[in-house]
Amino acid sequence: QVQLQESGPGLVKPSETLSLTCNVSGGSMRNYYWNWMRQAPGKGLEWIGVVYSTGSTNYNPSLKSRVTISLDMSKNQFSLRLFSVTAADTAVYYCARSQWLDSWGPGTLVSVSS
Amino acid sequence: EIVLTQSPGTLSLSPGERATLSCRASQSVSANYLAWFQQKPGQAPRLLIYAASIRATGIPDRFSGSGSGTDFTLTISRLEPEDFAVYYCLQYGSTIRTFGQGTKVEIK
């Protein structure tokens, strides 16, 4: 059974870059979509973007100018980079597999603060 | 971008009762690519239903999904204590995926 696990710094300074990695175990990354979502404290879910196993990407228009999602199948992982962060980017960040998000990581809280 | 509107915002019910949750899309969802998730406090969302009506692996049959086009419904036939949670719909029929704002099912 596939398992996903997010990792990265829990604290990022304003104007810096948030970088997270999702490690995938127990299954192949080929022929799947790999997604990032986030959830601000007390709020709903927000889809950030997706990378397909070919490397093609789609992003939420509200974040597109600040986001890059990439894939490294040799390491069984995919990554999120969010540039020029502000306090509004404080959230639990989740990674998930497939178009319909059938498997999720447990999430990682990232706080933006000086 | 497709906007999903969930209703009601909060549903107050007792164990054993039937829950009916709505998800309405601002435009037709391609191929009825609509999923439902359950989220409990401090946990990641869990997939319940995809393609509008297909139960995910291991999901009890008291959960069912229906609908097409712009109107979708998640029904929980008889609420168990562990079903009190927040439920989200997601459309994945367009290149830009969007979530509804959520429905909280709380104990009356």
Side-chain angles (χ1 to χ4, degrees), chain A residues 58-111:
Chain A
N58 287 108
Y59 301 122
N60 186 324
S62 69
L63 298 169
K64 187 174 183 177
S65 63
R66 297 195 294 130
V67 172
T68 298
I69 297 175
S70 59
L71 183 72
D72 188 343
M73 287 198 288
S74 69
K75 295 182 179 179
N76 280 352
Q77 63 185 210
F78 63 108
S79 300
L80 168 71
R81 299 189 77 198
L82 182 63
F83 308 99
S84 303
V85 297
T86 69
D89 295 311
T90 293
V92 175
Y93 286 76
Y94 295 101
C95 58
R97 184 186 76 166
S98 92
Q99 292 187 77
W100 51 87
L101 311 182
D102 61 356
S103 296
W104 292 62
T108 187
L109 174 63
V110 180
S111 298

Side-chain angles (χ1 to χ4, degrees), chain A residues 100, chain B residues 29 31-36 47-57 59-68 71-75 90 92:
Chain A
W100 51 87
Chain B
V29 177
N32 295 326
Y33 280 173
L34 193 287
W36 288 94
L47 176 68
L48 301 174
I49 301 286
Y50 63 98
S53 62
I54 302 175
R55 266 189 305 278
T57 303
I59 301 303
D61 60 7
R62 64 180 181 272
F63 291 92
S64 63
S66 63
S68 64
D71 288 296
F72 299 88
T73 301
L74 174 69
T75 301
L90 162 81
Y92 55 97

Side-chain angles (χ1 to χ4, degrees), chain B:
Chain B
E1 177 178 325
I2 297 176
V3 176
L4 298 181
T5 302
Q6 292 188 239
S7 61
T10 302
L11 200 50
S12 298
L13 295 168
S14 300
E17 289 194 295
R18 183 185 188 90
T20 302
L21 288 67
S22 172
C23 178
R24 180 161 292 177
S26 60
Q27 55 188 280
S28 184
V29 177
S30 176
N32 295 326
Y33 280 173
L34 193 287
W36 288 94
F37 300 85
Q38 176 193 70
Q39 188 179 33
K40 297 179 181 179
Q43 296 184 16
R46 176 175 71 144
L47 176 68
L48 301 174
I49 301 286
Y50 63 98
S53 62
I54 302 175
R55 266 189 305 278
T57 303
I59 301 303
D61 60 7
R62 64 180 181 272
F63 291 92
S64 63
S66 63
S68 64
T70 60
D71 288 296
F72 299 88
T73 301
L74 174 69
T75 301
I76 311 171
S77 58
R78 287 177 57 85
L79 283 163
E80 298 287 341
E82 62 268 28
D83 298 337
F84 291 92
V86 180
Y87 293 83
Y88 293 95
C89 56
L90 162 81
Q91 68 76 24
Y92 55 97
S94 68
T95 55
I96 308 303
R97 282 76 152 131
T98 49
F99 285 96
Q101 81 279 19
T103 290
K104 182 178 181 180
V105 179
E106 65 176 22
I107 299 177
K108 186 174 181 180

